[in-house]
């Protein structure tokens, strides 16, 4: 874990009294991030269901592999896309809001829906479907679809946390699958574990740990090793990735850099520089979502509207009251379901015990055993999706759209 003097005094003066008791409380933390009572200045008004959108904030990079005929170069483009998502996933709150924040804990069935439009017509529309498929333990499932290029990303994500030596360590449970229709090609993406730095200074930020992997059905394996700023050497958010053919020691490509800053792609043998990527200057495409009044009552921004407004204005009393209203409503729903002997029907996802694509690709890495612990695998249910699309079509629910301006 790193430390620096510049982080001293990061806790806002008015909040200083609440940070020490918070530090004490996390020392006896039980691993359930949702149950952490964080001081108000560290609360975000964004629900965790929104985080699924970080996978495709550069739609042109998301669909680029679909336009590449060479399987080796395609595997490289998938790795490149994955690396470009890291800045958004893990440091965007820090940059926008001044520090990492604690997101709103989504309720079961919560939805976050949107699309990235494409006025050029070259990329086509990319659609986001994110749904909270479990509340205890919290699990968010997502699908990101681009019909024009036949690209589909689906996955799910939960977190297991622990506290030791002044930091919160988080292991991500779940995985993502990237599918290219034209080549009938799949990529299994494992999720990096992370820890929160800067907690003692009241300026939390995320650092990624160890390594993660991308395995393709065409036999390419990418390994990404993460490291951070140490006491003496190293830069924050550093990584070093390699792409190899499965079973071979030859490195086809290397990609090195800082995921929050930029990286360089080089050819393995010759070390010839092929491309550089600047994470700071590459603009994101804003997600378009329906205006609140036209959203489904289960959609995140509509359901949490009052809580979000009160967090943003610092009205703690209303935050508490409005949050309790949602929690009580949820408790009532679960009670009723139990009495009636039924389970909440997920709108877009289904839990399966065996996913052939996952099993085939996971065989060559260590994640199979881990997945067993998640009590099944959440998959995007095309049938359910088709039914929702049909219902919207016949019901004539044309939704107007606005730019997503939230932090
Ligand atoms: C700030 C701290 C004191 C409270 C703890 C907040 C904790 C629950 C947050 C902090 C970072 C969050 C990660 C976030 O970095 C990015 C992602 C990637 C996304 O695809 C899935 C969610 C996840 C893992 C967030 C989970 C909630 C975390 C750990």
């Amino acid at each position: 874990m790193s430390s620096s003097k510049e982080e001293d005094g990061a806790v806002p003066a008015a909040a200083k009294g609440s940070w020490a008791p918070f530090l004490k409380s996390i020392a006896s933390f039980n691993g359930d991030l949702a149950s952490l009572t964080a001081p108000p200045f560290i609360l975000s008004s964004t629900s965790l269901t929104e985080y699924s959108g970080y996978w495709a904030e550069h739609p042109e990079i998301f669909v680029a592999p679909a336009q590449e005929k060479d399987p080796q170069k395609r595997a490289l483009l998938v790795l490149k896309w994955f690396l470009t998502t890291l800045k958004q996933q893990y440091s965007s709150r820090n940059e926008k809001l001044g520090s990492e924040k604690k997101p709103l804990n989504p309720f079961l069935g919560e939805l976050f829906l949107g699309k990235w439009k494409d006025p050029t017509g070259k990329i086509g529309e990319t659609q986001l479907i994110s749904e909270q498929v479990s509340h205890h333990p919290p699990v968010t499932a997502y699908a990101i679809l681009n019909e024009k290029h036949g690209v589909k990303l689906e996955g799910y994500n939960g977190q297991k946390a622990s506290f030791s030596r002044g930091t919160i360590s988080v292991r991500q449970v779940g995985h993502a699958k990237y599918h290219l229709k034209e080549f009938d090609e799949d990529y299994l993406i494992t999720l990096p574990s992370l820890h929160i730095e800067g907690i003692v200074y009241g300026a939390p930020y995320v650092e990624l740990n160890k390594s993660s992997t991308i395995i393709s059905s065409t036999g390419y394996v990418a390994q990404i090793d993460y490291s951070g700023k140490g006491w003496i050497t190293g830069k924050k958010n550093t990584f070093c990735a390699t792409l190899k053919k499965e079973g071979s020691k030859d490195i086809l490509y290397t990609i090195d850099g800082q995921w929050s800053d930029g990286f360089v792609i080089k050819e393995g043998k010759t070390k010839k520089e092929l491309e550089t990527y600047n994470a700071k200057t590459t603009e994101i495409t804003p997600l378009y979502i329906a205006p609140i009044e036209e959203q489904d009552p289960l959609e995140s921004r509509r359901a949490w509207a009052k809580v979000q407004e009160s967090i943003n204005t610092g009205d703690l009393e209303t935050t508490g009251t409005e949050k309790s209203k949602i929690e009580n409503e949820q408790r009532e729903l679960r009670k009723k379901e139990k009495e009636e002997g039924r389970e909440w029907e997920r709108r877009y996802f289904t839990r399966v015990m065996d996913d052939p694509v996952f099993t085939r690709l996971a065989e060559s890495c260590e994640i199979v055993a881990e997945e067993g612990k998640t009590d099944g695998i959440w998959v995007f249910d095309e049938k359910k999706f088709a039914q929702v699309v049909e219902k919207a079509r016949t019901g004539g629910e044309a939704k107007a759209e606005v730019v997503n301006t939230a932090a």
Side-chain angles (χ1 to χ4, degrees):
M1 207 176 90
S2 75
S3 151
S4 75
K5 286 256 183 307
E6 83 225 13
E7 288 158 333
D8 283 353
V11 179
K16 279 218 162 101
S18 59
W19 197 246
F22 172 64
L23 286 179
K24 262 197 187 161
S25 78
I26 52 175
S28 56
F29 174 55
N30 65 6
D32 176 7
L33 284 169
S35 73
L36 253 191
T37 312
F41 78 93
I42 215 81
L43 290 183
S44 155
S45 59
T46 304
S47 157
L48 209 50
T49 52
E50 297 204 16
Y51 286 36
S52 309
Y54 292 138
W55 285 107
E57 294 199 312
H58 303 116
E60 70 290 359
I61 308 179
F62 177 66
V63 301
Q67 296 150 71
E68 175 57 62
K69 297 275 177 256
D70 176 348
Q72 182 172 309
K73 289 187 184 147
R74 265 200 312 275
L76 176 65
L77 286 172
V78 172
L79 171 60
K80 178 189 162 188
W81 155 73
F82 171 78
L83 295 170
T84 64
T85 68
L86 297 178
K87 178 176 157 70
Q88 297 309 120
Q89 303 260 24
Y90 302 105
S91 72
S92 53
R93 278 97 38 210
N94 211 28
E95 288 183 4
K96 272 188 214 140
L97 311 169
S99 85
E100 185 57 74
K101 303 264 174 180
K102 183 175 186 278
L104 289 170
N105 182 28
F107 56 85
L108 179 60
E110 183 177 324
L111 301 169
F112 185 64
L113 311 171
K115 50 182 86 159
W116 292 273
K117 289 180 155 193
D118 170 34
T120 69
K122 285 185 198 147
I123 304 165
E125 194 172 273
T126 307
Q127 195 177 349
L128 168 70
I129 295 145
S130 177
E131 178 171 5
Q132 191 68 12
V133 291
S134 170
H135 185 65
H136 284 302
V139 180
T140 312
Y142 50 86
I144 299 182
L145 316 166
N146 181 293
E147 217 180 289
K148 181 177 167 76
H149 291 283
V151 180
K152 175 172 76 176
L153 178 80
E154 62 174 301
Y156 67 99
N157 188 295
Q159 295 90 37
K160 292 234 160 91
S162 59
F163 180 79
S164 78
R165 283 183 286 155
T167 183
I168 298 176
S169 296
V170 180
R171 185 168 66 79
Q172 297 201 63
V173 181
H175 59 262
K177 286 182 306 177
Y178 179 96
H179 178 75
L180 292 170
K181 192 175 171 191
E182 192 189 334
F183 306 102
D184 192 17
E185 194 167 292
D186 292 290
Y187 292 79
L188 176 65
I189 301 164
T190 71
L191 308 169
S193 57
L194 56 101
H195 67 271
I196 317 278
E197 297 231 0
I199 291 184
V200 281
Y201 305 102
Y205 69 93
V206 170
E207 188 59 88
L208 298 178
N209 299 339
K210 298 178 190 164
S211 62
S212 70
T213 314
I214 305 177
I215 306 156
S216 82
S217 56
T218 43
Y220 292 94
V221 184
Q223 181 171 319
I224 306 111
D225 294 316
Y226 305 97
S227 58
K229 186 170 69 169
W231 282 98
I232 302 165
T233 55
K235 287 182 180 168
K236 68 169 190 171
N237 310 152
T238 298
F239 73 88
C240 164
T242 56
L243 184 73
K244 294 180 187 165
K245 189 86 185 158
E246 214 179 328
S248 161
K249 283 187 181 150
D250 295 342
I251 297 175
L252 302 167
Y253 302 102
T254 60
I255 310 188
D256 297 303
Q258 285 171 275
W259 47 261
S260 53
D261 194 351
F263 53 75
V264 183
I265 307 180
K266 289 183 187 158
E267 209 174 58
K269 259 191 201 151
T270 59
K271 306 214 171 14
K272 191 180 139 202
E273 203 172 297
L274 299 178
E275 193 185 327
T276 58
Y277 175 80
N278 189 330
K280 292 205 158 143
T281 54
T282 309
E283 289 203 2
I284 60 159
T285 302
L287 180 74
Y288 285 76
I289 58 168
I292 285 194
E293 62 286 5
E294 289 175 25
Q295 287 179 17
D296 186 289
L298 295 178
E299 277 184 70
S300 192
R301 297 273 176 96
R302 176 160 172 180
W304 289 106
K306 289 187 179 149
V307 174
Q308 289 170 330
E309 197 191 319
S310 57
I311 290 179
N312 293 338
T313 55
D315 177 353
L316 293 185
E317 204 182 315
T318 311
T319 305
T321 322
E322 292 301 329
K323 252 190 179 179
S324 298
K325 270 190 201 162
I326 295 181
E327 282 156 11
N328 292 338
E329 247 175 59
Q330 287 294 310
R331 245 174 251 129
E332 280 309 306
L333 278 174
R334 299 295 86 78
K335 201 172 137 203
K336 197 157 177 264
E337 283 158 17
K338 204 170 170 194
E339 283 163 8
E340 293 171 4
R342 60 185 173 84
E343 230 194 80
W344 175 265
E345 181 68 35
R346 277 72 174 174
R347 195 174 291 183
Y348 297 98
F349 297 86
T350 298
R351 183 168 36 196
V352 296
M353 286 303 148
D354 179 40
D355 170 12
V357 173
F358 170 75
T359 309
R360 185 159 40 88
L361 293 174
E363 255 171 15
S364 51
C365 75
E366 78 287 3
I367 62 173
V368 181
E370 288 302 326
E371 288 306 320
K373 292 178 200 152
T374 71
D375 195 14
I377 290 172
W378 288 98
V379 292
F380 181 57
D381 191 323
E382 306 271 358
K383 259 196 205 153
K384 285 184 176 176
F385 178 60
Q387 279 165 7
V388 177
V389 172
E390 184 57 14
K391 204 170 154 193
R393 198 184 61 82
T394 51
E397 290 167 20
K399 286 181 176 178
E401 286 147 348
V402 289
V403 180
N404 169 9
T405 50

